[in-house]
Amino acid sequence: MSRKLFMYLEQKETSEGECKLSFRLAYIFSYNLFQFCGHTWILANTIARFLTFGQDALADTFYSVGFMMGLCQLLSILELFHIADGIEKARLLPRFVQVMEKNFLLIMVIMLEEIQSKPVVCAQLFLWNVLDLLRYPHELLCVMDTPSIPMLWTRYTLYIPLYILSVATEGVTIYQALLYVEPTAPNASSLNSTVSTQVHRPFLLMVYLPVLALGERGHCDRLATAEGETSPPGEMEQEDETEMTP
């Protein structure tokens, strides 16, 4: 009797573990699929508007794709919980910096309507979407246990120059935003609180620039880690033997 009870409890724990595992897989698959579809729609809409209207499309491109872009970037905060929960294998601090800097920059663009029609903003959205479209299809294939070596190579080869261009574009966007938030000369009767409030906004934007370099450093470290994890076993053994040889 006790043996049957033990087998029943063991089967119940196994079924609960499989149910929990299947739910996690379904969730992470749905998340990556939504991000892939969202960024595909944004990129297709941006390209279609540019081919149809030319440079005139720069005036209202952000109004057309801003909501979907904001939704995708807002949901990207969930990736921090994915890493903390162990669903995704990545470093938490570099991902935190990258997610927060994107959301901060997007909020700044939403608040400053004067720069929404700038060409640099459209270039920024284009680079963000291309980078994410290099990433999420690979994540989907990994969830389905069918990773693609050509897609992995494409992701980590094109990601480096595109990410550097993206960081440079973010710096230009910050520089142009500073022109619209520079504090004006205060009047003699102005309160100190008003002056401090005016000075804080451009100061925060200038502090954001070193964060871009920190995010790029963390991204390069993550690429190095991923390259080491995906290197063939034979190469790793040769490297170990070389290190052990005096």
Side-chain angles (χ1 to χ4, degrees), residues 22-151:
S22 62
F23 174 77
R24 288 159 64 100
L25 289 176
Y27 163 74
I28 196 65
F29 178 83
S30 301
Y31 171 80
N32 290 322
L33 181 62
F34 175 82
Q35 290 283 8
F36 171 72
C37 294
H39 288 290
T40 302
W41 182 87
I42 295 172
L43 185 63
N45 195 342
T46 303
I47 296 176
R49 293 181 61 84
F50 182 77
L51 294 178
T52 303
F53 302 105
Q55 294 185 354
D56 296 336
L58 300 177
D60 58 350
T61 296
F62 185 80
Y63 293 99
S64 301
V65 301
F67 174 78
M68 180 60 70
M69 192 69 191
L71 181 60
C72 291
Q73 294 302 325
L74 184 63
L75 290 177
S76 66
I77 299 178
L78 294 174
E79 297 178 8
L80 304 178
F81 298 96
H82 298 168
I83 299 174
D85 193 45
I87 300 178
E88 182 180 354
K89 294 182 180 180
R91 296 182 180 179
L92 182 60
L93 182 58
R95 184 66 60 83
F96 174 80
V97 174
Q98 293 171 12
V99 170
M100 290 297 107
E101 72 182 18
K102 283 186 177 182
N103 281 276
F104 176 81
L105 189 62
L106 191 60
I107 292 173
M108 183 197 67
V109 173
I110 293 174
M111 294 178 61
L112 299 176
E113 297 182 358
E114 296 86 354
I115 66 173
Q116 293 180 3
S117 58
K118 298 291 184 180
V120 67
V121 175
C122 294
Q124 185 67 74
L125 297 180
F126 177 82
L127 290 173
W128 279 356
N129 283 281
V130 172
L131 288 172
D132 288 328
L133 287 178
L134 289 175
R135 174 186 164 201
Y136 287 111
H138 173 68
E139 298 291 342
L140 282 172
L141 293 178
C142 290
V143 171
M144 295 185 295
D145 292 332
T146 56
S148 175
I149 300 301
M151 184 170 292

Side-chain angles (χ1 to χ4, degrees), residues 180-192:
Y180 295 97
V181 297
E182 280 292 337
T184 57
N187 298 327
S189 60
S190 299
L191 297 177
N192 293 332

